[in-house]
Amino acid sequence: MSTESTTPITTQRVHWDLNYDVHLGATWGRFMQGLTEQRILANRCPECSRVFVPPQAYCESCFVKTDEWLELPPEGVVEAFTVAWQGFRGGPTPPYAIAGIRLDGASTLLMHYVGGLDLGNPHTVREQIGPGTRVRAVWAEQRSGQILDIAHFEKI
Ligand SMILES: [Zn+2]
């Protein structure tokens, strides 16, 4: 019996449906607690003075703990953005916009949704949320200590 002409099976469909708890650690735990109170907490490196949001337990440049905390305003500027035209399972209904937002006083970008835009015409998106656009956080009515306690950002 020859097996040369048979096509090998290369994939098999499986189903995973998992619920699990993610251990946040002290730094992200404090950040998430702040979100429940509509506060955006950041921390600062004592060596290079960069301000991280989301906060980091240590500065990857200076190799020191970043345990000086501060609260940032819920406003900032869009530095980069993209629009998702295709949906992902468990994600929002497309189209939706995601931006890298530099909150006032932050050295890093916070990635988040930008709502309230007219995404019907791709050619007008840049005019609406191009780099330099000022945005502010819109808080979720129900907050439980997750990044979506900020429902999205909107243009100011
Ligand atoms: Zn540093």
Side-chain angles (χ1 to χ4, degrees):
M1 184 172 111
S2 169
T3 58
E4 289 178 23
S5 64
T6 57
T7 304
I9 296 171
T10 57
T11 63
Q12 190 167 52
R13 178 158 298 195
V14 295
H15 175 78
W16 286 12
D17 190 2
L18 298 174
N19 292 312
Y20 57 96
D21 295 322
V22 176
H23 183 74
L24 296 174
T27 304
W28 274 46
R30 188 168 177 174
F31 174 70
M32 295 301 177
Q33 177 60 36
L35 294 181
T36 68
E37 302 161 3
Q38 299 186 23
R39 301 171 69 210
I40 300 176
L41 300 178
N43 61 12
R44 183 181 353 244
C45 173
E47 296 290 326
C48 68
S49 298
R50 289 190 304 149
V51 173
F52 304 108
V53 62
Q56 300 178 182
Y58 68 95
C59 176
E60 78 280 4
S61 295
C62 306
F63 300 107
V64 296
K65 281 189 72 164
T66 52
D67 48 9
E68 178 192 345
W69 287 83
L70 61 156
E71 183 176 349
L72 295 183
E75 295 184 12
V77 64
V78 170
E79 295 221 351
F81 75 94
T82 191
V83 175
W85 301 100
Q86 296 292 320
F88 296 91
R89 185 168 165 237
T93 302
Y96 56 90
I98 300 172
I101 298 160
R102 187 181 307 278
L103 294 178
D104 295 345
S107 305
T108 57
L109 302 184
L110 179 69
M111 301 297 293
H112 216 300
Y113 300 118
V114 179
L117 303 172
D118 176 8
L119 299 176
N121 180 352
H123 300 291
T124 66
V125 174
R126 178 173 288 278
E127 298 161 16
Q128 296 178 69
I129 59 160
T133 303
R134 288 202 57 80
V135 292
R136 81 161 57 92
V138 176
W139 296 98
E141 257 178 55
Q142 305 281 323
R143 293 176 304 282
S144 59
Q146 56 172 316
I147 194 62
L148 289 177
D149 284 1
I150 301 172
H152 58 266
F153 281 77
E154 66 180 7
K155 281 180 71 171
I156 296 176

